[in-house]
Amino acid sequence: MYTLVKNATVIDGNGGQPLVNAAVLMKGERIEAVGTLDQIKQPDANVDVIDARGGFVLPGMIDCHVHMMIEWARAGLEKRLATPFSLRFYQASDYLKRTLHAGITSVRDAGFTDVGVKEAVEQRLISGPRMQISVIPLTTTGGHGDAWMRSGIDVTDVSYPTMPSGICDGPDQVRKKVREVLRAGADIIKVHATDGVTSPTDHPEFTQFSREELEIMVQEAAFRRGVKVMAHAQGAEGIKNAVRAGIHSIEHGIYLDDEAIELMCENKTFLVPTLLAPIGVLEAAEKSGTMPEHAIEKTREVIEIHRESMAKAHKAGVKIAMGTDAGVIPHGTNLRELSLMCQIGMTSMEAIVATTKTAAECLGWDDRLGTIEKGKLADLIIAKTDPIADIQSLEHPDNIVMVMKGGRIEKDLLTAKGSQSLHLV
């Protein structure tokens, strides 16, 4: 079965000039051709035609840092502790759908989502983006990820068969823990190379794990057909330890110094800024009071430093892939990150490429996703606004009038079936 999207401006994810008066032909789940309508050889029959009505067709967006099983903005600690364990899976189905309908067709989950949720999406039991999962972040005793409180109460989430504990100390425990997480279904290993903002007993500049321990993680992951390691890394020393150990991507990167930036450029290490994350902490504190005081205090301390570090990294040529830390922010608001990326010096087109082509490279999926090209999976979104002229317009899910994942329409505000009164602007 063929599908033809016509009467569109195509922004293909490669960073070149948009193609006006364009069309995209798909065969099943794959893209068959891209060009002007008269350039595309159309099949004689069985073509489902979608008129984009002058809208803008982009590759499905990719968020390289989400937490699909949590949404801290919704509930404080007391409510989280009172929430039945199984309810979180049903809540996650809403988070996944909101994410997909916002135009995010693929995500890399940075912790707390198990293989059953991923398989539920793959089997179409629930609607959501395609996923890479890290299962549980590796952390040290007393580090970011260990939620033991000084009251003596431990509020770390419980373990279960497909969600092992992530706490490990020393080379031997680290090696075994990587193997346990891979056994649980992880597509990528996530490590806390430094402490963080939201944890109660540490600071973002504190370093977790030695370089030797980080190298063991990289080595053990690579044994599984090249599985990569992503590192929550905020302090400069922890960032440099991670890059030197061969870690694939640095998440957050708050305290980047010149040496760290130079190392990332040399090693072609990806940077996933999550500029939305600190904003999400402060918004949750203001609107619902769901963030603890230690998180608010540390966020205020780092927010401007974070922006300055990202601006320096971009100027130096570090490979930046979009990520939001969704879960700290409400799911479905992911594309707010793009305007923040522009505020640190990126153009609208650069922000789009970071969210499509570069993000697909970060996930190792650039052979099938990230750009609108023949042979790639038909992950497309149609926006009714021009994202080059107004990148912030993508923040509003109603401006994303169609979402396709693998050639399958997942959201439709465009056709007669989906909407009788769409007005493109």
Side-chain angles (χ1 to χ4, degrees):
M1 181 63 163
Y2 290 90
T3 302
L4 178 72
V5 176
K6 67 176 186 177
N7 190 20
T9 295
V10 172
I11 301 171
D12 66 8
N14 283 305
Q17 286 295 316
L19 181 63
V20 298
N21 300 319
V24 181
L25 179 66
M26 292 157 278
K27 182 180 181 181
E29 66 174 10
R30 299 277 174 177
I31 296 169
E32 185 75 9
V34 186
T36 59
L37 196 58
D38 59 350
Q39 291 173 332
I40 295 176
K41 183 180 178 181
Q42 297 181 45
D44 296 330
N46 296 322
V47 182
D48 186 9
V49 178
I50 298 171
D51 187 345
R53 306 187 197 181
F56 295 79
V57 177
L58 297 91
M61 299 291 182
I62 300 170
D63 191 330
C64 296
H65 191 119
V66 299
H67 299 279
M68 296 310 313
M69 283 289 291
I70 60 176
E71 191 169 84
W72 288 348
R74 175 177 284 192
L77 178 61
E78 183 177 350
K79 188 170 182 180
R80 284 164 53 204
L81 291 173
T83 299
F85 175 77
S86 58
L87 179 60
R88 289 183 287 177
F89 290 86
Y90 294 93
Q91 291 172 333
S93 68
D94 175 53
Y95 306 156
L96 288 157
K97 184 177 181 180
R98 276 193 265 148
T99 301
L100 183 61
H101 283 206
I104 306 292
T105 58
S106 299
V107 298
R108 184 176 63 164
D109 192 281
F112 316 113
T113 299
D114 76 1
V115 70
V117 176
K118 175 187 171 183
E119 290 186 5
V121 173
E122 291 175 346
Q123 294 177 27
R124 296 180 183 167
L125 300 176
I126 55 177
S127 179
R130 62 173 50 78
M131 304 173 72
Q132 286 185 6
I133 60 171
S134 61
V135 180
I136 190 75
L138 275 58
T139 195
T140 58
T141 299
H144 187 67
D146 179 358
W148 180 89
M149 311 293 283
R150 285 175 175 158
S151 63
I153 298 171
D154 189 352
V155 294
T156 307
D157 285 346
V158 298
S159 299
Y160 55 95
T162 50
M163 187 63 61
S165 167
I167 296 175
C168 50
D169 301 290
D172 290 343
Q173 285 188 16
V174 164
R175 193 179 301 277
K176 183 177 180 181
K177 190 60 63 176
V178 171
R179 293 173 180 178
E180 287 180 358
V181 174
L182 289 169
R183 181 178 65 183
D187 303 300
I188 188 164
I189 297 299
K190 163 76 177 297
V191 58
H192 293 149
T194 70
D195 292 323
V197 169
T198 56
S199 42
T201 61
D202 55 47
H203 186 275
E205 289 188 280
F206 295 173
T207 301
Q208 292 187 197
F209 295 110
S210 66
R211 180 173 166 182
E212 178 193 5
E213 290 168 323
L214 296 173
E215 287 173 346
I216 288 170
M217 295 174 199
V218 172
Q219 180 188 65
E220 284 294 325
F223 287 156
R224 293 290 188 100
R225 295 181 182 177
V227 170
K228 305 294 186 183
V229 180
M230 60 188 293
H232 161 109
Q234 298 182 349
E237 288 306 311
I239 292 168
K240 288 180 277 193
N241 283 345
V243 175
R244 288 175 175 135
I247 278 173
H248 180 67
S249 69
I250 298 298
E251 315 296 306
H252 316 302
I254 292 173
Y255 292 95
L256 284 173
D257 61 19
D258 292 342
E259 184 183 17
I261 289 171
E262 184 178 349
L263 281 169
M264 292 184 73
C265 290
E266 288 175 359
N267 290 275
K268 299 181 180 179
T269 310
F270 288 91
L271 174 62
V272 182
T274 67
L275 291 161
L276 258 178
I279 292 172
V281 170
L282 295 181
E283 287 179 347
E286 181 179 338
K287 293 178 181 178
S288 56
T290 56
M291 282 293 172
E293 187 57 39
H294 64 259
I296 299 167
E297 183 179 334
K298 286 189 280 185
T299 298
R300 288 178 177 148
E301 177 186 334
V302 306
I303 192 165
E304 191 55 40
I305 296 168
H306 191 192
R307 291 174 181 151
E308 291 171 0
S309 290
M310 296 307 104
K312 286 170 59 180
H314 170 250
K315 188 175 181 180
V318 174
K319 295 174 69 172
I320 294 178
M322 194 279 274
T324 62
D325 219 355
V328 176
I329 62 157
H331 294 286
T333 65
N334 311 59
L335 294 185
R336 291 176 64 193
E337 183 78 13
L338 275 66
S339 63
L340 296 176
M341 295 167 85
C342 291
Q343 289 174 25
I344 59 100
M346 300 179 80
T347 65
S348 295
M349 184 63 82
E350 285 175 329
I352 289 169
V353 172
T355 314
T356 53
K357 183 178 181 178
T358 308
E361 291 172 358
C362 184
L363 270 60
W365 282 351
D366 48 309
D367 60 335
R368 70 201 82 166
L369 293 172
T371 56
I372 302 176
E373 297 180 70
K374 177 179 173 59
K376 291 198 173 181
L377 289 171
D379 277 25
L380 306 176
I381 65 172
I382 302 177
K384 68 177 182 178
T385 53
D386 181 353
I388 303 300
D390 182 10
I391 193 69
Q392 203 164 5
S393 66
L394 293 179
E395 296 179 7
H396 308 288
D398 287 348
N399 287 335
I400 309 296
V401 293
M402 182 169 285
V403 177
M404 299 180 70
K405 189 181 81 169
R408 181 185 179 92
I409 295 175
E410 299 282 357
K411 175 186 177 181
D412 184 3
L413 303 179
L414 180 62
T415 70
K417 293 179 182 178
S419 174
Q420 299 291 337
S421 59
L422 176 70
H423 299 286
L424 292 167
V425 296

